[in-house]
Amino acid sequence: MSNLEVEPDELVADAQPAESIQVLEPREVPLGGPRAMTVRRTLPQRGRSLIGAWCFVDHYGPDEVAETGGMTVPPHPHTGLQTVSWLFEGEVEHRDSTGARARVRPREVNLMTAGRGIQHSEVSTTDTVRLHGAQLWIALPDRDRHVAPFFEHAEPAPITVGAATLRVFVGALAGSAVSPVRTFTALVGAQLDLPAGAAVDLPVDERFEYGLLVDAGTAHLEGVEIPGAHLGYAAPGRSSVRIAAGEAPLRALLLGGEPLGEPIVMWWNFIARDHDEIVALREQWQGEVIGGSDPQGRFGAVAGWDQALPAPVMPDVRLRPRD
């Protein structure tokens, strides 16, 4: 999914010290237009920019498509990242400039590696009545951020750990659940379901920091309450985390990874390392794709579309890393 904010913030992410458990509140972001979807964004924010290499967490729905119009995101660019689409309800068709065309449904994952540059579109299908899911971004480390773009789709099988049901869509968890999609840093992403009143002690990697995004119900992460739509953060150093459901069944996404340890600059749909690189990427998108100077250039073209999203205007200040 594109970041459709017309005045996107400069976001510079680096490793940050944290309390033992941190509760991050979402902010609502309208994705353009009078009937547009509104997403709840918990990452990045002032209190935390990264969890491992996870750098962007949008959570949306359930939206009645008849009221909101569903998802229609025209072709737009990405660089230096991977996008992860995970649905609870509905169906979305993905098309990108590698030629990939695939639908994603609940309990399936679409992972797109942008690398040096890609463009893609996302549109909810005509059969979709309610749309509900999460759009996640992973920052690529500097050594890998210029790889050739590619696309993957997988359907993770459920596993049981105690009272919990897990579907691991990125990385590995609990010793036996391994996603087939490719990542470039040590990561995990999984849906976790718990019955009302149940708890699980989940074995985890001590090197990782973790986030728990609550979709349904209320969670208790190491005894700290995480309300619906909030993101709970746990610092590295644990061999297990205890997650408990409240009075209603819990559905949540567990996101984790080894701290990236690299500053990144994220503006609109680009991840780079400095201001000049962002400016160059924007100019190349505007010239090659929007201006039509080289439709098969860095970002390629998406079949079935005549127009792509123009980039917002750059801010008046120079984008620079902040401590």
Side-chain angles (χ1 to χ4, degrees), residues 30 117 153 191 220 300:
H153 175 93
Q191 179 176 319
H220 291 83

Side-chain angles (χ1 to χ4, degrees), residues 7-302:
E7 297 182 1
D9 292 334
E10 168 202 7
L11 295 163
V12 179
D14 203 347
Q16 299 175 354
E19 301 172 0
S20 179
I21 300 295
Q22 186 180 14
V23 181
L24 303 177
E25 295 185 3
R27 67 182 179 96
E28 291 194 346
V29 179
L31 295 185
R35 298 179 66 222
M37 293 172 56
T38 295
V39 301
R40 298 174 292 277
R41 185 165 298 163
T42 47
L43 206 67
Q45 58 173 269
R46 186 177 299 276
R48 179 146 300 278
S49 299
L50 290 160
I51 296 177
W54 298 100
C55 62
F56 189 87
V57 176
D58 272 1
H59 177 215
Y60 55 89
D63 286 339
E64 300 293 337
V65 170
E67 298 175 4
T68 66
M71 180 186 295
T72 302
V73 183
H76 56 278
H78 288 293
T79 61
L81 57 84
Q82 295 177 292
T83 66
V84 177
S85 299
W86 185 259
L87 290 178
F88 304 117
E89 295 180 88
E91 184 179 71
V92 172
E93 183 184 73
H94 162 99
R95 300 186 187 189
D96 70 40
S97 51
T98 71
R101 180 175 179 177
R103 293 189 176 191
V104 63
R105 304 172 182 85
R107 298 175 295 280
E108 301 174 358
V109 62
N110 277 0
L111 185 145
M112 184 186 73
T113 298
R116 65 181 179 235
I118 199 170
Q119 61 167 303
H120 76 135
S121 64
E122 293 166 295
V123 178
S124 51
T125 64
T126 55
D127 295 333
T128 298
V129 176
R130 282 160 53 103
L131 195 58
H132 184 189
Q135 183 68 31
L136 316 165
W137 292 0
I138 301 166
L140 291 172
D142 190 57
R143 65 179 182 271
D144 299 307
R145 65 192 183 94
H146 299 296
V147 299
F150 61 94
F151 175 83
E152 298 168 280
H153 175 93
E155 301 179 25
I159 66 165
T160 300
V161 178
T165 300
L166 300 170
R167 289 179 171 84
V168 180
F169 52 83
V170 167
L173 186 65
S176 60
V178 180
S179 172
V181 300
R182 183 182 178 190
T183 57
F184 294 82
T185 55
L187 285 174
V188 66
Q191 179 176 319
L192 180 147
D193 292 88
L194 271 175
V200 63
D201 291 301
L202 195 62
V204 296
D205 192 318
E206 293 185 19
R207 302 170 299 159
F208 284 19
E209 51 190 349
Y210 288 92
L212 187 71
L213 176 67
V214 177
D215 174 65
T218 299
H220 291 83
L221 176 62
E222 295 290 331
V224 176
E225 182 175 308
I226 314 297
H230 287 59
L231 182 68
Y233 171 83
R238 294 173 170 80
S239 59
S240 68
V241 291
R242 184 171 181 81
I243 300 171
E247 297 180 354
L250 172 66
R251 180 168 63 195
L253 297 184
L254 181 70
L255 308 173
E258 193 170 9
L260 183 63
E262 299 177 12
I264 63 172
V265 179
M266 184 164 67
W267 180 85
W268 194 44
N269 295 304
F270 303 128
I271 290 184
R273 294 303 185 269
D274 59 39
H275 172 90
D276 293 336
E277 188 180 358
I278 291 286
V279 170
L281 289 168
R282 182 191 179 277
E283 289 179 352
Q284 195 166 11
W285 171 257
Q286 289 296 106
E288 291 182 355
V289 179
I290 304 304
S293 67
D294 187 0
Q296 299 302 322
R298 174 192 286 264
F299 301 101
V302 180

